[in-house]
Amino acid sequence: MTIDDGGRIAIVGGGVIGCAVAAALAPDRDVLLLEADRIAGGATGRSAGLVTIDPAFSDARPIAERAMAAFERLDADGDVPFHEVPSLEPVPADEEGMARRRVRRLRSAGVSVRWLDRETVVEQYPLAIEGAAGALVFDRAGWVDP
């Protein structure tokens, strides 16, 4: 059987990716989603539902814009709720200069990113990693809820 023959599809794993694949296939196929525990009940570090497009594709603006538009469209359609919240990237003290240059470069390329000093990070994000000189904050990020 192939996916194209319209047969029944079984997806093993009801995490973010399994749910996304099931949702994409369900309109045209009979989909069975198998999960050992609770659907979308757990998360690994790589599939926690985080949407950090700007940090991941800061040097590839067309990819970042297209990906964010897709998540916003899914949210608008009511298919997959997207919750826009900033993404915090703590910066070790020995990388502060490089991080500040990165902020200037990315801002000139149209990325919504800013530098927060250590005191502001501690005040606004008390659980941030200790030892950080500050943090980059990417405003166009968030998480999805399958």
Side-chain angles (χ1 to χ4, degrees), residues 93-114:
D94 62 342
E95 296 178 16
E96 180 178 353
M98 182 174 56
R100 287 178 178 269
R101 288 188 298 276
R102 182 177 172 212
V103 167
R104 286 192 296 273
R105 180 176 56 81
L106 292 176
R107 288 179 67 83
S108 70
V111 176
S112 181
V113 60
R114 54 198 156 93

Side-chain angles (χ1 to χ4, degrees), residues 3-20:
I3 290 178
D4 294 324
D5 71 7
R8 191 164 193 213
I9 303 292
I11 297 171
V12 179
V16 171
I17 300 302
C19 289

